[in-house]
Amino acid sequence: MVRAIMHGCNGRMGRVITSLIKEDEAIEIVAGVDTYTETANDYPVFENIGACTVEADVVIDFSNAGAIDGLLDYCVEKKLPVVLCSTGLSEQQLKKVEESAKETAVLKSANMSMGINLLLKLLKEAAGVLAPAGYDIEIVEKHHNQKLDAPSGTAIALADSIDEALGNTLDYTYDRSKERKKRGKKEIGISAVRGGTIVGEHEVLFAGMDEVIEFKHTAYSRGVFGKGAVEAAKYLAGKPAGRYDMSNVIQFGD
């Protein structure tokens, strides 16, 4: 059985994952880490990862950007694989992720759901056909009013997937109110909506002459992200040092 540390165990996603793992016979949580330790858990909870003395096979992280540096240092020191799900990382932290992957297994994806990862693949194919035909590309993402980063990491990942398919030629536009000008031919617009309790919605539009093609993914609960993180943890345990993502976990046919 895979032994996991839940980093951010008392947050919303931490509680979702704790519940999911209770029903999974292949994995168990042996320890949690959270600054808030008053919640009753079936496992010991430490205020920070450095204080954790419980042996494990993998860490599942759903915390915040402020806790990532310490987590990566711990995982490198212990040679402990980590599924990194926190968003809003700085450029410096993203570089640290890559450096840490040279010492231990690190799996990081902008979004942990199977649907989003399938969408990333489909968008590459669509962009290769529609962009050369002159279709404009727009992304609109919607999240709850407590989300700190905008646009979402998933929206950027969708844009990056399209851009990669087109040879990294697109110009990302986040706010058209700053300049009054006509849309550029190589432009991809990314708009963020924040409101209520929206779990997550991403829509990609290819707008051409007299037609619009839409790709849309809606998450109705956080369970879709939690399930992906659990499957990723089971996959990553025991893997050698390296950089992994959800495409390694989910095998799509060609």
Side-chain angles (χ1 to χ4, degrees):
M1 179 179 288
V2 174
R3 300 168 299 170
I5 295 172
M6 184 64 235
H7 191 250
C9 63
N10 291 332
R12 290 181 178 179
M13 282 307 305
R15 294 195 296 271
V16 168
I17 291 172
T18 295
S19 178
L20 288 170
I21 287 180
K22 284 182 179 179
E23 306 300 321
D24 194 322
E25 296 181 352
I27 186 171
E28 64 175 334
I29 298 178
V30 293
V33 177
D34 204 289
T35 54
Y36 183 75
T37 59
E38 300 304 314
T39 300
N41 296 97
D42 295 333
Y43 46 79
V45 177
F46 302 87
E47 289 190 15
N48 62 76
I49 189 67
C52 182
T53 56
V54 179
E55 292 189 3
D57 303 307
V58 66
V59 176
I60 303 174
D61 165 70
F62 259 109
S63 56
N64 58 72
I68 295 306
D69 291 313
L71 172 62
L72 290 174
D73 289 340
Y74 179 90
C75 290
V76 166
E77 179 185 350
K78 303 287 186 180
K79 297 295 186 287
L80 185 61
V82 55
V83 178
L84 200 60
C85 303
S86 294
T87 60
L89 305 190
S90 67
E91 288 298 322
Q92 185 175 357
Q93 287 177 313
L94 292 174
K95 290 179 181 178
K96 187 166 185 172
V97 169
E98 301 303 325
E99 289 298 315
S100 299
K102 297 176 182 178
E103 304 294 331
T104 191
V106 179
L107 189 149
K108 184 182 185 307
S109 287
N111 191 297
M112 302 303 293
S113 85
M114 180 179 290
I116 283 290
N117 283 278
L118 175 59
L119 182 57
L120 289 168
K121 179 180 176 66
L122 295 175
L123 287 175
K124 287 184 177 182
E125 298 179 8
V129 174
L130 299 175
Y135 286 68
D136 297 322
I137 308 168
E138 291 285 310
I139 297 173
V140 179
E141 58 98 341
K142 303 174 184 178
H143 284 87
H144 53 87
N145 58 21
Q146 300 300 304
K147 188 170 178 62
L148 300 179
D149 53 319
S152 68
T154 300
I156 294 174
L158 295 172
D160 287 346
S161 182
I162 295 168
D163 195 23
E164 181 182 340
L166 300 177
N168 301 114
T169 59
L170 298 178
D171 298 319
Y172 292 21
T173 299
Y174 304 105
D175 184 2
R176 290 198 175 87
S177 66
K178 294 181 179 180
E179 293 183 293
R180 188 176 178 83
K181 66 177 184 180
K182 185 179 177 180
R183 177 195 177 91
K185 291 184 178 180
K186 296 292 186 179
E187 187 173 315
I188 181 168
I190 307 175
S191 303
V193 176
R194 295 289 175 267
T197 58
I198 302 171
V199 175
E201 182 178 303
H202 294 84
E203 186 175 13
V204 183
L205 299 89
F206 291 85
M209 184 67 68
D210 299 328
E211 70 173 352
V212 176
I213 301 167
E214 301 179 17
F215 293 82
K216 184 177 180 180
H217 177 273
T218 303
Y220 292 103
S221 80
R222 292 177 173 82
V224 297
F225 312 124
K227 179 61 176 175
V230 172
E231 293 303 314
K234 291 190 289 186
Y235 167 85
L236 199 64
K239 290 293 187 294
R243 179 72 163 80
Y244 301 82
D245 59 31
M246 284 300 287
S247 67
N248 299 113
V249 182
I250 306 168
Q251 299 298 318
F252 297 114
D254 294 327

